[in-house]
Amino acid sequence: MADDCPSCGHRFERDPGYWLGAMIINTAVAISSFLVVFVAIMVVTWPDVPWRAALVVTLVLNLVVPVVFYPWSKTLFVALDLSVRPVSPEEAEAASRRRMA
């Protein structure tokens, strides 16, 4: 991922440890997808739940979802952060200098 936006110069990592929020979003989506799929498998196949198949499906899901969703979690976190904490005049000036360089 680029350090700065190529069109406006906005620095993505605004503070040390900035991407922790993106990891939290990614973890929440992974856990939510696991729960939805696991409960759906149980509801659809009750009372004879295929536990091994459920285990395999949910393990694969828990390996794939965090990897595939991580870029989107970063995008969502940047959008949430900018909506809560808009770009300061100092950041805008630094972005302008980076864009000109």
Side-chain angles (χ1 to χ4, degrees), residues 34-58:
F34 164 78
L35 287 174
V36 166
V37 170
F38 185 71
V39 169
I41 289 171
M42 285 183 54
V43 167
V44 168
T45 60
W46 194 261
D48 298 319
V49 180
W51 293 111
R52 284 204 173 128
L55 175 67
V56 169
V57 168
T58 54

Side-chain angles (χ1 to χ4, degrees), residues 1-2 8 14 16 22 25 30 33 38-39 46 50 60 74 79 83-84 90 101:
M1 182 172 159
C8 71
R14 295 172 80 181
I25 290 172
S33 64
F38 185 71
V39 169
W46 194 261
V60 169
K74 281 186 156 185
S83 69
V84 172
E90 295 83 21

Side-chain angles (χ1 to χ4, degrees), residues 33-99:
S33 64
F34 164 78
L35 287 174
V36 166
V37 170
F38 185 71
V39 169
I41 289 171
M42 285 183 54
V43 167
V44 168
T45 60
W46 194 261
D48 298 319
V49 180
W51 293 111
R52 284 204 173 128
L55 175 67
V56 169
V57 168
T58 54
L59 281 176
V60 169
L61 187 74
N62 280 334
L63 292 173
V64 172
V65 168
V67 173
V68 171
F69 189 73
Y70 191 61
W72 284 287
S73 69
K74 281 186 156 185
T75 303
L76 282 172
F77 183 69
V78 169
L80 286 170
D81 183 51
L82 286 173
S83 69
V84 172
R85 189 176 59 147
V87 175
S88 68
E90 295 83 21
E91 287 178 311
E93 184 179 326
S96 173
R97 284 193 306 267
R98 282 191 297 275
R99 190 177 50 226

